[in-house]
Amino acid sequence: GAVVSQHPSWVICKSGTSVKIECRSLDFQATTMFWYRQFPKQSLMLMATSNEGSKATYEQGVEKDKFLINHASLTLSTLTVTSAHPEDSSFYICSARISGDRFYSNQPQHFGDGTRLSIL
Amino acid sequence: LAKTTQPISMDSYEGQEVNITCSHNNIATNDYITWYQQFPSQGPRFIIQGYKTKVTNEVASLFIPADRKSSTLSLPRVSLSDTAVYYCLVGPSNAGGTSYGKLTFGQGTILTVHP
């Protein structure tokens, strides 16, 4: 149980292109999903928190107009990298927490297998 | 969010027990301790979670002392396939708001298992 699917797993595109990445919770509902970015040999860096039915909350230094997040349902969040440039090349990972009481805090995050984005 | 400190790397041999300790001195009352495993080019995989004392599942044990300022992940009889990065995380804090449940990843521990 608690499977998170991320699509695509790998994408190569030209500079200036916009790229959409999907994150789906397959067997549970997720009020909250998270988007991370990971550079080679570094740890995961949280980019934003995606909340179903409301605007995403971005971490300091992350451009919200550059990284558009939509969480339209309890099982799907999307990250769109707009007008991507080579410096946006990275490994993007999403995670989801099983929906529950907001104050019941021990639900772990379940992660997708990531999307390797390469901008030429 | 509570900060965690782990050894950067560890080496072990097949069949040995591996213990990875994580320090989290400013853990909050509502925080849980969660460990993840990550292989190259994959997302982190949940290993185990605990609040206090000892938790055991089919793959690992987690030991948490009474003051909860540290925790130890124990992997019994490791194999080559256990070579990975292991992350200790503390949270999610019951902070409410729009970023409820967010976690901050530290650098993790690179575990290398040798034949």
Side-chain angles (χ1 to χ4, degrees):
Chain A
V3 177
V4 175
S5 174
Q6 201 170 328
H7 179 81
S9 57
W10 186 41
V11 59
I12 301 175
C13 59
K14 295 181 179 180
S15 184
T17 305
S18 291
V19 178
K20 180 184 284 188
I21 303 170
E22 292 187 349
C23 179
R24 293 181 185 273
S25 55
L26 298 186
D27 50 2
F28 65 97
Q29 293 184 332
T31 305
T32 305
M33 292 184 175
F34 302 88
W35 288 95
Y36 297 83
R37 181 165 54 181
Q38 186 175 34
F39 293 106
K41 298 190 182 301
Q42 294 188 23
S43 185
L44 284 77
M45 182 180 69
L46 179 66
M47 300 175 65
T49 303
S50 171
N51 297 293
E52 187 268 335
S54 64
K55 292 182 178 180
T57 301
Y58 291 82
E59 295 300 302
Q60 190 173 9
V62 178
E63 301 175 58
K64 62 180 181 180
D65 295 330
K66 175 76 171 177
F67 300 99
L68 300 180
I69 292 173
N70 184 277
H71 192 159
S73 76
L74 288 173
T75 60
L76 173 65
S77 176
T78 60
L79 168 69
T80 301
V81 183
T82 61
S83 187
H85 289 93
E87 59 266 28
D88 298 321
S89 298
S90 188
F91 190 52
Y92 292 86
I93 309 171
C94 72
S95 72
R97 295 181 70 245
I98 297 172
S99 294
D101 187 341
R102 174 170 284 269
F103 297 99
Y104 187 55
S105 61
N106 74 335
Q107 292 291 349
Q109 291 185 27
H110 299 278
F111 289 81
D113 272 339
T115 297
R116 177 74 58 192
L117 175 62
S118 296
I119 308 298
L120 304 178
Chain B
L1 296 174
K3 181 181 178 180
T4 59
T5 303
Q6 305 173 230
I8 295 175
S9 64
M10 294 181 67
D11 288 274
S12 183
Y13 293 89
E14 284 190 292
Q16 289 188 334
E17 178 185 75
V18 172
N19 296 307
I20 306 174
T21 297
C22 178
S23 297
H24 28 80
N25 291 319
N26 59 339
I27 186 170
T29 302
N30 294 327
D31 287 344
Y32 282 73
I33 300 155
T34 310
W35 286 79
Y36 289 89
Q37 174 193 56
Q38 187 182 28
F39 297 111
S41 297
Q42 293 186 25
R45 184 172 70 101
F46 172 81
I47 301 175
I48 198 166
Q49 182 183 65
Y51 185 80
K52 61 181 179 180
T53 64
K54 176 184 175 181
V55 180
T56 298
N57 62 20
E58 63 274 11
V59 298
S61 294
L62 178 60
F63 299 91
I64 306 169
D67 65 5
R68 304 202 324 123
K69 294 183 182 299
S70 67
S71 59
T72 299
L73 174 72
S74 180
L75 305 172
R77 297 181 298 281
V78 294
S79 64
L80 296 176
S81 63
D82 292 317
T83 294
V85 180
Y86 291 82
Y87 293 99
C88 161
L89 290 99
V90 175
S93 296
N94 188 15
T98 55
S99 292
Y100 174 70
K102 75 176 187 179
L103 298 172
T104 300
F105 278 78
Q107 287 305 303
T109 298
I110 302 171
L111 172 65
T112 303
V113 179
H114 302 277

